[in-house]
């Protein structure tokens, strides 16, 4: 481990924790200060997290993709990257209220995971690992943001029907704008999810001599693709948008969560950290 890794971990953990608290205070305040503060703290935390991953790469001599600790950090990096993209482009602070707590949960898991640098198993010593994990970072990050946007859509839809004069409504984009944001986020993540499966299949063939082994992770990756395929089918073939699309986006993210954390930690398989 690089000697500055613990320091950078502590710094980004503090920044993300305080930023999450700021985002959670935002809906209950009449001031945008808490939203701006949350975004500023998450930006600073993102810089410290990036520095931590660079230091980890230097210390290990490889990409930080090998164990649960590194996996949690790189996927946190992807989620925060997409969150900040939407914060700076749309100033949608409520998105931080939904997504930021997920970041803290991942970091708490990382804090409890073994963080020592270990040698890669032979199957992981392949350039396909970099391609495979890189596509996962983009796909999971985009899908997490689409989940946050879908939750905001459902909240706004409920408030418009039940409390049409609610204060939060003036701070939120219209339902049509939110629907398009969800579509854009899913459209970003979906092709990378496809590349994730393709690169994983090629890597598996090199490592184990088989493109597809019906491993639990492979099965849930396929289920995830099918759910988001239903989203596009409903949007373009059935012309169903709005609330139905938001619900499918939430279901898709739940499948992503099972695909990543559930399968890795619970089920035994070639992707499972829990079985190692």
């Amino acid at each position: 481990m690089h000697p500055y890794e613990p320091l950078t971990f502590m710094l980004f953990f503090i920044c993300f924790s305080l930023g999450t608290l700021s985002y959670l205070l935002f809906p209950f305040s009449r001031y945008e200060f808490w939203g701006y503060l949350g975004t500023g703290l998450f930006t600073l935390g993102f810089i410290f997290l990036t520095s931590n991953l660079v230091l980890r790469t230097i210390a290990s001599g490889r990409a930080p993709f090998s164990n649960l600790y590194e996996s949690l950090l790189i996927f946190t990096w992807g989620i925060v990257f997409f969150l900040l993209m939407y914060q700076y482009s749309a100033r949608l602070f409520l998105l931080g209220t939904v997504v930021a707590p997920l970041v803290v949960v991942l970091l708490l898991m990382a804090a409890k995971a073994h963080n020592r640098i270990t040698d890669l198993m032979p199957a992981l010593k392949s350039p396909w690992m970099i391609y495979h994990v890189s596509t996962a970072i983009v796909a999971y990050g985009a899908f997490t943001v689409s989940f946050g946007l879908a939750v905001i859509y459902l909240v706004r839809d409920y408030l418009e029907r039940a409390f049409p004069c609610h204060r939060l409504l003036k701070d939120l984009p219209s339902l049509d704008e939110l629907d398009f944001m969800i579509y854009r986020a899913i459209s970003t993540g979906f092709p990378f999810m496809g590349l994730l499966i393709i690169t994983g299949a090629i890597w598996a063939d090199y490592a184990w001599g088989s493109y597809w082994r019906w491993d639990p992770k492979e099965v849930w990756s396929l289920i995830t693709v099918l759910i988001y395929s239903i989203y596009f089918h409903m949007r373009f073939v059935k012309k169903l948008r709005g609330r139905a699309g938001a619900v499918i986006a939430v279901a898709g993210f739940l499948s992503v969560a099972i695909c990543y954390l559930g399968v890795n930690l619970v089920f035994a398989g070639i992707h499972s950290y829990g079985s190692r």
Side-chain angles (χ1 to χ4, degrees):
M1 177 183 293
H2 194 281
Y4 289 115
E5 268 192 66
L7 174 62
T8 53
F9 186 98
M10 180 183 67
L11 290 173
F12 71 68
F13 188 90
I14 292 173
C15 288
F16 289 144
S17 298
L18 293 177
T20 299
L21 179 61
S22 298
Y23 278 132
L24 290 174
L25 289 173
F26 169 74
F28 304 100
S29 172
R30 294 183 178 274
Y31 304 100
E32 292 187 331
F33 165 78
W34 296 109
Y36 284 113
L37 179 60
T39 301
L41 287 167
F42 260 68
T43 302
L44 188 59
F46 181 77
I47 294 172
F48 287 132
L49 175 56
T50 303
S51 301
N52 180 276
L53 292 172
V54 170
L55 293 173
R56 184 85 174 182
T57 301
I58 294 172
S60 62
R62 54 169 173 75
F65 295 167
S66 68
N67 55 35
L68 178 61
Y69 171 79
E70 295 173 354
S71 173
L72 289 166
L73 291 191
I74 60 173
F75 286 119
T76 296
W77 187 94
I79 292 170
V80 175
F81 175 80
F82 277 97
L83 172 61
L84 290 175
M85 280 184 57
Y86 274 81
Q87 294 294 41
Y88 283 109
S89 62
R91 205 185 66 176
L92 187 54
F93 297 137
L94 201 59
L95 180 61
T97 305
V98 179
V99 174
L102 302 177
V103 170
V104 173
V105 169
L106 292 178
L107 293 182
L108 288 173
M109 293 178 63
K112 294 183 178 181
H114 294 295
N115 61 2
R116 61 181 180 271
I117 295 175
T118 57
D119 292 333
L120 292 176
M121 65 175 64
L124 297 180
K125 294 179 179 179
S126 168
W128 285 105
M129 178 182 73
I130 297 177
Y131 308 143
H132 182 63
V133 178
S134 297
T135 56
I137 293 170
V138 178
Y140 291 177
F143 289 150
T144 302
V145 167
S146 74
F147 162 75
L149 292 167
V151 171
I152 295 172
Y153 182 100
L154 294 173
V155 168
R156 171 156 195 139
D157 181 60
Y158 170 75
L159 290 178
E160 283 191 359
R161 289 181 286 109
F163 305 98
C165 297
H166 197 282
R167 178 182 58 83
L168 272 180
L169 291 173
K170 67 180 180 63
D171 297 323
L172 295 176
S174 68
L175 290 177
D176 287 340
E177 290 173 319
L178 287 168
D179 179 73
F180 180 73
M181 289 181 184
I182 296 169
Y183 164 71
R184 186 170 60 179
I186 293 177
S187 295
T188 300
F190 187 76
F192 282 93
M193 190 69 192
L195 289 173
L196 170 65
I197 293 177
I198 293 171
T199 55
I202 296 173
W203 183 14
D205 185 56
Y206 276 102
W208 296 291
S210 174
Y211 288 103
W212 192 267
R213 299 162 61 94
W214 294 105
D215 180 76
K217 182 120 181 174
E218 295 170 346
V219 172
W220 274 102
S221 295
L222 183 60
I223 292 172
T224 301
V225 169
L226 289 175
I227 291 174
Y228 286 112
S229 296
I230 292 172
Y231 171 85
F232 288 113
H233 175 78
M234 298 288 286
R235 184 178 184 89
F236 293 110
V237 178
K238 298 296 184 180
K239 304 299 182 182
L240 290 176
R241 302 184 181 185
R243 194 185 311 168
V247 170
I248 296 174
V250 171
F253 173 75
L254 294 178
S255 180
V256 168
I258 295 172
C259 182
Y260 174 51
L261 291 177
V263 169
N264 283 356
L265 298 175
V266 178
F267 299 105
I270 59 177
H271 292 85
S272 175
Y273 295 115
S275 65
R276 293 177 187 171

